[in-house]
Amino acid sequence: MTDTTTRAVRLPALTTELETAELLTWLVAEGDSVREGDPLAEVTTDKVEMELPSPYDGEVAELLVEAGAVVPVGADLLLIATTGSGGFDLGLDASPDTSAEAGEAEEAAADAPAPTTAPSPTADLAGATSERVPAPPAVRRQADELGIDLQDVTPTGSRGQVTPEDLEQAAERRPRAATPAPAPPPGDVARPPARPTPRGGDDRRRAMVRAATARSTTRSQQIPQFTLFRTADLTGRATRRDGVSWTTLIAQALAATLWRHPELNAVWDEEHNEIVQRDTVRIGLAVDTPTGLVVTTLDDPDRLHGQEADARLRAAAARARDGKLTPEDLRPASATLSNLGGFGVERFSALLLPPQASILSVGTVSPRPVARYDAIAIRTCVELGLTIDHRVADGADGARFLETLVETLEQR
């Protein structure tokens, strides 16, 4: 006899600050058969519109909420009748029935893919069919963007699924793309494209983004913060850009500096009144979108080749503008980079984005007269502003951080 278990699929915490999301439309109906990774519904938040994937094989037993409903994080969305152990876990499911089944969900969450090498997926792959390789929707979209056939990727996920790291390795094995077109001369300021006219359906998203921005900035104003400024001379670096954007180069330098100054790669724990160090470096990028400011993140850009980091950053910014960010794009950042240089802004002070302890503002990169060796020379320069949570670090800490950042940026 085959055991059947009814499991609930719940709304996951797509971002650390997410409290509710709107279920836009169901992509399945009661009685439908689904497989692991199949889209169940489209949901939207203030930052992302995405498909909710099924965490396992089974049959849709019951839809618990109506399309258009706003539901809180952790709310049950639908029930799926499953047999056996099913597929991989995405942190979306939990059992509504017994404590033993809840333990299974916790065990599955503990087995979620990690950046390190996972156990051999041979046993999990034994039951998979050749026409569909297990992979989360975000990984499938990334594979489509990179032009990679998932059949050609060796999965290392704990349950036989393809992970983002697997795609990275597959991309590295492919021949390098053609060299991009040369960058404009250093003195030219590349103007950003005008903000697209919002579509009719974007009015709701714009209201949600403004509400989220209001919450974040209100929290930020309650934090004791200060801003330090430094000028970086990019004249030498401009000759070695190889078409890579200034935003990418500065993001790489910022990440490298955070590794060298771990005291600023931290957050203030308000509950315990203490500093908590981060063990990863992830750079947030503030993106101007048709519905307002959205922040996407990039892992360790300093460890990537300039062209690869630039491609990833541009792709993430495009997803932000299109409202197609993935949960991976919204993971907590160590620090955020806000660049208004494309708008001709020379210098500004950015507000902290809690719980981050720092944010870097970047002005326009342009030629300026500079005193050098008792003479005036024209140099390509940029103004950098570092805003810091005073609970985490002092002015001298910020000054040392900026010194390293400028040195790193000028030498990279």
Side-chain angles (χ1 to χ4, degrees):
M1 177 180 293
T2 302
D3 293 332
T4 300
T5 302
T6 300
R7 296 180 179 274
V9 177
R10 297 178 176 177
L11 176 67
L14 302 174
T15 67
T16 55
E17 297 181 355
L18 181 68
E19 296 179 355
T20 63
E22 181 181 353
L23 194 150
L24 294 178
T25 182
W26 284 111
L27 303 177
V28 295
E30 294 178 0
D32 284 354
S33 295
V34 294
R35 300 182 61 185
E36 54 191 24
D38 285 351
L40 300 174
E42 290 183 354
V43 298
T44 185
T45 73
D46 57 322
K47 294 184 177 180
V48 62
E49 184 173 306
M50 65 169 289
E51 292 178 347
L52 185 73
S54 176
Y56 31 64
D57 298 347
E59 180 179 300
V60 178
E62 183 179 359
L63 304 180
L64 301 177
V65 298
E66 295 182 356
V70 176
V71 294
V73 168
D76 292 348
L77 301 178
L78 73 159
L79 301 178
I80 296 181
T82 67
T83 57
S85 58
F88 61 91
D89 177 69
L90 292 174
L92 307 176
D93 64 310
S95 169
D97 299 328
T98 67
S99 58
E101 291 168 353
E104 291 178 8
E106 292 175 2
E107 180 181 355
D111 289 339
T116 54
T117 303
S120 171
T122 305
D124 292 295
L125 286 175
T129 57
S130 59
E131 65 271 11
R132 185 176 179 87
V133 178
V139 171
R140 294 186 183 281
R141 283 193 293 270
Q142 186 179 0
D144 289 339
E145 293 171 1
L146 297 174
I148 295 176
D149 187 344
L150 289 179
Q151 296 285 351
D152 299 331
V153 180
T154 301
T156 62
S158 60
R159 295 178 180 270
Q161 76 275 27
V162 175
T163 69
E165 290 75 19
D166 298 333
L167 281 186
E168 292 177 11
Q169 294 181 7
E172 291 174 358
R173 290 194 294 267
R174 296 190 309 176
R176 289 282 182 185
T179 303
D188 292 349
V189 177
R191 298 293 177 182
R195 173 179 285 176
T197 302
R199 301 181 296 270
D202 283 342
D203 290 340
R204 178 191 66 247
R205 175 74 64 78
R206 176 177 286 276
M208 296 173 68
V209 170
R210 294 320 310 167
T213 301
R215 292 192 299 270
S216 178
T217 53
T218 299
R219 286 183 58 199
S220 180
Q221 291 286 15
Q222 298 171 353
I223 297 173
Q225 53 190 285
F226 62 93
T227 304
L228 304 175
F229 294 94
R230 279 286 299 263
T231 300
D233 187 338
L234 304 180
T235 307
R237 190 65 188 87
T239 64
R240 308 188 304 275
R241 285 176 61 192
D242 296 326
V244 178
S245 71
W246 283 119
T247 298
T248 298
L249 294 175
I250 295 172
Q252 290 183 304
L254 178 58
T257 304
L258 282 165
W259 280 118
R260 294 178 60 182
H261 292 265
E263 67 276 8
L264 278 176
N265 189 24
V267 297
W268 180 257
D269 186 336
E270 296 185 0
E271 181 179 355
H272 298 95
N273 209 36
E274 63 182 8
I275 296 173
V276 177
Q277 298 292 143
R278 294 183 183 272
D279 56 7
T280 59
V281 169
R282 189 175 294 123
I283 301 302
L285 176 67
V287 181
D288 178 45
T289 78
T291 54
L293 179 69
V294 172
V295 176
T296 181
T297 60
L298 188 66
D299 288 354
D300 293 322
D302 59 313
R303 299 185 178 182
L304 302 174
H305 184 273
Q307 303 287 354
E308 183 180 0
D310 200 46
R312 292 193 185 187
L313 186 145
R314 292 177 187 274
R319 289 194 296 273
R321 286 189 289 269
D322 294 339
K324 299 298 183 182
L325 287 174
T326 68
E328 289 80 5
D329 292 323
L330 299 172
R331 289 178 291 186
S334 303
T336 291
L337 186 156
S338 180
N339 187 350
L340 293 180
F343 293 96
V345 175
E346 295 185 353
R347 168 175 167 169
F348 67 101
S349 178
L351 289 176
L352 287 174
L353 299 178
Q356 298 169 37
S358 64
I359 184 171
L360 184 71
S361 61
V362 180
T364 185
V365 178
S366 60
R368 304 176 192 180
V370 177
R372 287 174 58 87
Y373 312 114
D374 297 326
I376 300 297
I378 301 300
R379 310 290 292 181
T380 300
C381 300
V382 65
E383 287 284 321
L384 304 173
L386 181 68
T387 301
I388 295 176
D389 185 338
H390 213 329
R391 300 170 301 178
V392 172
D394 297 324
D397 300 313
R400 285 187 286 266
F401 186 96
L402 267 179
E403 173 106 19
T404 301
L405 176 62
V406 170
E407 291 178 354
T408 303
L409 184 58
E410 292 178 346
Q411 296 172 6
R412 287 185 68 87

